Amino acid sequence: MTPRKLKRVCVFCGSAVGSRPAYAEAARALGREVAARGIGLVYGGGAVGLMGIAADAALQAGAEVIGVIPYGLLKREVGHGGGVEMHIVDTMHERKAKMAELSDGFVVLPGGYGTLEEAVEALTWAQLGIQNKGVVFLDVEEYWKPFLGALDHMATEGFVRPTHRPLAMHAATPGAALDALADYVAPPGTQVWLRPEQM
């Protein structure tokens, strides 16, 4: 199987830096790795937290960086300034749809409710066949281990099909995460239940 060409990857991550220095370092390393591979970075458009760190690192290393942010958050979160191509949208749903449209896969860094919601929606779109793009959790300091364990529990209890559980991939390093996205193929038996315009 030939790896897919990644033109841009979408990064879901926190608007906070978290309690461990390793989270910020992982965001920097991901930004640098994206640039080193000649890939663009799509993200939530903020200048704060892991979002800002990943964007700054990618920019400084020469990558294309695209931010997507609702106007209401732009006023409150302080959108990123120079160097970022900004797309300003009206709603959170438009934000997610635009981020998906602009990217070829998703890397999930540590984050909170918003990060988790974005990642789970991307997984749901993959499950329904709306999009054929990988979702990989960058498991910094085993941050995502409890969540991935919860997904295993859902599968055991019959609420996530065993064929769909592999949709939520995980990696220990930025390089491994990008490799996983490049190698991603939809699990056998994945059906197209909805078209992208029905999201």
Side-chain angles (χ1 to χ4, degrees):
M1 182 186 68
T2 303
R4 68 173 66 193
K5 171 65 176 174
L6 298 175
K7 183 178 180 181
R8 302 187 191 106
V9 296
C10 178
V11 179
F12 297 139
C13 57
S15 58
V17 297
S19 59
R20 301 188 190 194
Y23 301 148
E25 183 47 46
R28 288 188 196 94
L30 179 61
R32 291 191 295 260
E33 184 68 20
V34 163
R37 295 187 183 209
I39 302 170
L41 184 143
V42 178
Y43 83 117
V48 296
L50 298 187
M51 284 198 296
I53 291 170
D56 286 341
L59 281 171
Q60 290 165 9
E64 172 194 44
V65 177
I66 300 175
V68 184
I69 191 168
Y71 178 71
L73 290 183
L74 179 65
K75 293 193 299 183
R76 293 171 176 82
E77 283 191 358
V78 186
H80 202 288
V84 174
E85 177 187 325
M86 283 295 234
H87 291 250
I88 301 171
V89 297
D90 291 325
T91 68
M92 293 291 282
H93 178 74
E94 287 181 74
R95 180 195 219 180
K96 290 177 288 185
K98 189 66 174 178
M99 291 165 82
E101 174 192 329
L102 292 169
S103 61
D104 302 305
F106 308 89
V107 178
V108 190
L109 282 164
Y113 290 150
T115 300
L116 185 58
E117 187 267 342
E118 290 169 330
V120 171
E121 185 154 5
L123 289 170
T124 302
W125 292 351
Q127 176 182 273
L128 294 174
I130 293 170
Q131 56 96 355
N132 181 26
K133 301 171 184 179
V135 181
V136 57
F137 291 80
L138 187 49
D139 202 15
V140 186
E141 299 279 324
E142 297 189 329
Y143 179 82
W144 291 114
K145 184 177 181 180
F147 172 71
L148 296 169
L151 295 184
D152 292 335
H153 179 66
M154 291 175 192
T156 298
E157 295 300 313
F159 291 99
V160 172
R161 293 182 181 178
T163 54
H164 290 153
R165 171 60 186 86
L167 290 170
M169 302 181 288
H170 73 280
T173 66
L178 296 177
D179 289 344
L181 292 184
D183 292 339
Y184 174 77
V185 293
T190 300
Q191 301 178 33
V192 178
W193 293 89
L194 293 171
R195 298 183 302 277
E197 64 269 21
Q198 294 175 302
M199 289 190 301

